[in-house]
Amino acid sequence: LIPDLIYTQNISAKWLRDNEVSLDVLRLDEMHPIVSGNKWFKLKYYLQQAIDEGKNTVATFGGAYSNHIIATAYACKEAGLKSIGFIRGEPAEKLSSTLYQAEKSGMQLIYVSREKYTQKQQIIDEYSKENWYIINEGGYGILGAKGAAEILDYVAENDYTHILASVGTATMLAGLVMGAEQHQQIIGISSMKGNTSLEQAVKDLLSQTKTYPSYSILHNYHFGGYAKHPKALIAFITETWRQFQLPLDIVYTSKLFFAIIDLVNKNYFLPGSKLLMIHSGGLQGNNSLPQNPLALS
Ligand SMILES: *Cc1c(COP(=O)(O)O)cnc(C)c1O
């Protein structure tokens, strides 16, 4: 897991030139083929704290295709910690590629019914042992944001006017707000349909006494909802790969890149704007499709 592998990719396209806007993509997906970029940053300080507190096991929550689950499994193995994943729903007949890889990294999977899954504290009370360290679903929390705040340290020359990133729990967004320059504007694209609690989720991770750069979350690029991937989105992923050799995942980064094109074309950004898109990884999730849209001949 080597952050040194991170680089920015410049996107050259007519829709950018016509609107006098530039776009670079921070390729966190290139850090590792399985552990998606932002998850490595988000996990860093949790695992540090687990080790500092003398814990030997990390437990967390996620679905069968969760980038967070697989990243936790792998990062724990690297850190010499045991890992346990509470997985939402019943075990499928065939293990998802995500869970297969998580198990291969030594994670113990415990399936909990969808109903029980909503009662996280109950699950913790029932299973947790003294030497366990619990990480929230999706890595939501202040230490997660603290790690994500370091993402921008990997930008060679941070002279961007806007930073754009996809939003799940909003932990990364909070981190970017913490790590950005005062004059920069941070825009989050929600992968979920109508999850308006995200604004509060960001606020809860930020200090009340500091002034931050301005940020916003856009809610109209969800393509039907979380993890929904209609044909149009799959076609968009294939086309983006063909045109720019930019690989996108079905849950997060495809919706983000789509939103950027749409916003540029709608003159959302003033001429002269310099955009940075955070490619937060997640490409392993495409393995859940019958055919990976990036597997072009
Ligand atoms: C988890 C994830 C996100 C969302 O990050 P949050 O901090 O939960 O908002 C975005 N992109 C990818 C690829 C992810 O795996």
Side-chain angles (χ1 to χ4, degrees):
L1 227 54
I2 311 166
D4 296 357
L5 296 175
I6 300 168
Y7 61 94
T8 48
Q9 173 183 354
N10 178 255
I11 302 293
S12 169
K14 186 171 184 301
W15 45 272
L16 288 164
R17 283 188 295 275
D18 285 352
N19 293 284
E20 291 173 58
V21 169
S22 75
L23 172 62
D24 284 349
V25 181
L26 186 66
R27 297 287 304 272
L28 302 183
D29 59 303
E30 289 280 54
M31 288 167 65
H32 191 274
I34 298 170
V35 183
S36 34
N38 86 342
K39 296 301 185 286
W40 183 85
F41 286 95
K42 282 166 54 171
L43 286 168
K44 180 177 164 185
Y45 288 106
Y46 291 123
L47 300 191
Q48 191 58 55
Q49 188 170 67
I51 291 165
D52 290 348
E53 290 179 359
K55 307 288 166 85
N56 67 4
T57 302
V58 166
T60 194
F61 302 85
Y65 305 105
S66 163
N67 295 327
H68 169 69
I69 283 289
I70 193 167
T72 304
Y74 190 88
C76 284
K77 188 180 85 171
E78 293 283 291
L81 294 159
K82 283 186 214 155
S83 66
I84 291 175
F86 290 108
I87 308 303
R88 182 182 59 236
E90 310 301 325
E93 232 166 84
K94 187 172 176 291
L95 214 54
S96 71
S97 151
T98 307
L99 295 183
Y100 172 78
Q101 295 283 353
E103 263 194 345
K104 243 176 66 172
S105 293
M107 179 175 265
Q108 182 193 342
L109 306 177
I110 299 176
Y111 292 91
V112 289
S113 69
R114 278 165 194 280
E115 191 192 3
K116 191 167 169 183
Y117 189 83
T118 59
Q119 309 294 324
K120 304 248 174 0
Q121 192 52 49
Q122 226 166 295
I123 298 170
I124 294 167
D125 292 345
E126 183 179 335
Y127 289 93
S128 183
K129 305 214 173 63
E130 208 175 305
N131 54 5
W132 284 24
Y133 184 89
I134 310 286
I135 299 179
N136 286 336
E137 181 177 35
Y140 177 77
I142 288 173
L143 289 183
K146 184 181 167 189
E150 294 175 6
I151 288 173
L152 294 173
D153 295 347
Y154 292 87
V155 181
E157 200 179 341
N158 187 3
D159 58 352
Y160 299 98
T161 55
H162 298 77
I163 296 165
L164 297 111
S166 43
V167 175
T169 64
T171 306
M172 170 169 60
L173 189 75
L176 292 170
V177 170
M178 287 157 68
E181 305 286 336
Q182 215 54 243
H183 65 87
Q184 293 178 318
Q185 200 174 326
I186 297 87
I187 300 168
I189 304 298
S190 173
S191 284
M192 280 164 284
K193 190 173 176 175
N195 183 359
T196 46
S197 65
L198 287 172
E199 275 78 4
Q200 190 58 45
V202 178
K203 261 194 208 139
D204 289 344
L205 298 179
L206 297 174
S207 154
Q208 301 201 339
T209 56
K210 283 191 189 144
T211 50
Y212 292 104
S214 63
Y215 65 90
S216 53
I217 300 175
L218 303 182
H219 294 275
N220 49 341
Y221 294 103
H222 54 72
F223 276 84
Y226 186 74
K228 294 277 191 295
H229 45 273
K231 279 206 184 87
L233 190 67
I234 304 290
F236 177 71
I237 290 172
T238 305
E239 183 57 21
T240 301
W241 173 244
R242 198 187 62 74
Q243 271 190 41
F244 305 108
Q245 289 72 56
L246 179 66
L248 301 171
D249 82 293
I250 51 175
V251 182
Y252 294 104
T253 53
S254 51
K255 297 174 184 180
L256 170 62
F257 192 63
F258 184 92
I260 292 173
I261 298 176
D262 191 55
L263 292 170
V264 168
N265 282 330
K266 286 179 175 158
N267 301 312
Y268 185 92
F269 307 101
L270 290 174
S273 293
K274 296 191 71 174
L275 317 184
L276 179 69
M277 163 176 156
I278 309 293
H279 192 315
S280 39
L283 298 175
Q284 67 87 23
N286 289 358
N287 293 331
S288 68
L289 297 171
Q291 199 193 353
N292 194 323
L294 302 176
L296 282 182
S297 54

